[in-house]
Amino acid sequence: MRLGVLDVGSNTVHLLVVDAHPGARPLPAHSHKAELRLAELLDDSGAISAKGVTRLVSVIKDVLQAAEDKGVEEVLPFATSAVREAANADAVLETVREQTGIELSVVTGDEEARLTFLAARRWFGWSAGKLRVLDIGGGSLEIAHGLDEIPDAAASLPLGAGRLTAGWLPDPVPDPEEVRALRRHVRAEIARTVGDFARLGAPDHTVATSKTFKQLARITGNPRVLTLDALREWVPKLAAMTPAQRAALPGVSASRAPQLLAGALVAEAALELFEAAEAELCPWALREGVILRRLDHLPTV
């Protein structure tokens, strides 16, 4: 069957269309993205602005048309941190339902970590042993660890690259003290979770998903593995660059370039505090996890 996953994230609204059936690897058939940056469309009360809601509805309508054009049989719609943390989340969801017919399912941070872990486990297979999976989104950082398809521990922290950039690094080229302050904040937040994961023992593989990790791996010269040593070299370089200069780096898009420094600080802190010399990149993440969970509930005959 042809499935479409509608992901309303902090940075983008993304439709991923796959051809899939139980027991088989989902095959990508189409991808439709729209930059929305919901996390930047909040008013002073923390609510998504009227303009933001109008844009969200318009984008979802366009995405649904794309899904229809591609012959999608079922759309799996969900929203992550930007919507779930908005002060007017219920009203936004109701407006989307009334104007598009779509019932957005709000994924909790814990669910986000667990579904991303499921995708990584299926990608690497059982022989990979214990996995520790890290995912940096626009609004949050997800961490999960375990041996099976359901992680033994999972956490979601408010350390997304977009959120931190908006709140801590307002200038295109931040002041060094702003960078140091953000570095301290990120490390303090992650350090609170280290003990919970340390009790589970060291992983056999540290795995990284998400666009932020992929871009960092590309600029450090190895698209499959991000090493801590290489990341340490690049963090001060990124801090001294303008967004336009970052966008000129290999694999870095202009839309995400402003967020790359904050993402690098989170990635560096996570690898150091979890004592990982490197992270292996996984092309599957939350969207694939949603697809795999849906397929697991389909009849096999």
Side-chain angles (χ1 to χ4, degrees):
M1 67 184 301
R2 178 158 282 195
L3 292 173
V5 178
L6 173 57
D7 174 2
V8 178
S10 298
N11 287 315
T12 61
V13 175
H14 187 174
L15 172 71
L16 174 64
V17 177
V18 299
D19 292 319
H21 61 271
R25 172 181 173 177
L27 297 176
H30 178 69
S31 178
H32 181 99
K33 297 180 184 179
E35 293 285 342
L36 188 57
R37 299 196 178 283
L38 275 180
E40 299 176 8
L41 297 175
L42 303 178
D43 60 25
D44 293 340
S45 70
I48 298 175
S49 66
K51 178 182 178 181
V53 175
T54 299
R55 288 175 59 186
L56 174 60
V57 167
S58 176
V59 168
I60 289 178
K61 287 180 178 179
D62 290 343
V63 167
L64 292 177
Q65 184 61 57
E68 179 182 323
D69 293 345
K70 295 299 179 181
V72 170
E73 299 175 51
E74 181 181 354
V75 175
L76 308 174
F78 67 90
T80 55
S81 63
V83 172
R84 71 174 176 250
E85 296 173 12
N88 59 338
D90 290 342
V92 171
L93 295 172
E94 180 63 19
T95 299
V96 169
R97 186 191 65 79
E98 290 178 349
Q99 298 191 24
T100 70
I102 283 291
E103 296 269 4
L104 278 179
S105 173
V106 178
V107 178
T108 67
D110 183 74
E111 289 174 327
E112 195 170 342
R114 291 176 180 275
L115 287 167
T116 302
F117 185 89
L118 170 63
R121 168 57 70 198
R122 294 280 179 93
W123 180 266
F124 282 96
W126 295 107
S127 62
K130 286 184 182 179
L131 300 181
R132 182 167 294 155
V133 179
L134 307 171
D135 180 280
I136 302 172
S140 58
L141 163 69
E142 273 67 50
I143 309 163
H145 176 112
L147 182 62
D148 300 318
E149 291 194 340
I150 299 174
D152 297 313
S156 179
L157 305 176
L159 298 177
R163 179 200 298 267
L164 296 178
T165 301
W168 292 79
L169 304 176
D171 300 320
V173 181
D175 182 270
E177 184 51 42
E178 292 177 336
V179 177
R180 283 193 293 270
L182 176 55
R183 184 178 187 273
R184 288 192 296 268
H185 169 72
V186 166
R187 286 167 184 262
E189 288 286 321
I190 295 175
R192 294 191 182 104
T193 72
V194 169
D196 295 333
F197 290 95
R199 285 191 286 270
L200 302 173
D204 296 298
H205 298 271
T206 296
V207 175
T209 71
S210 76
K211 190 72 170 179
T212 295
F213 272 116
K214 290 174 184 176
Q215 291 182 338
L216 291 171
R218 282 287 304 277
I219 67 173
T220 58
N222 188 339
R224 295 184 179 182
V225 177
L226 176 63
T227 69
L228 179 56
D229 286 344
L231 191 53
R232 284 170 174 157
E233 292 181 8
W234 269 95
V235 167
K237 295 178 184 178
L238 293 172
M241 291 180 176
T242 65
Q245 288 171 326
R246 295 175 200 154
L249 297 171
V252 179
S253 63
S255 62
R256 290 181 180 264
Q259 304 179 8
L260 193 59
L261 173 58
L265 289 168
V266 174
E268 180 189 36
L271 292 181
E272 283 192 0
L273 290 170
F274 285 112
E275 299 182 349
E278 64 182 32
E280 300 171 58
L281 273 291
C282 178
W284 283 5
L286 176 60
R287 284 182 288 273
E288 287 77 11
V290 171
I291 292 167
L292 293 168
R293 184 175 66 178
R294 178 68 183 95
L295 292 176
D296 286 346
H297 289 84
L298 289 178
T300 57
V301 293

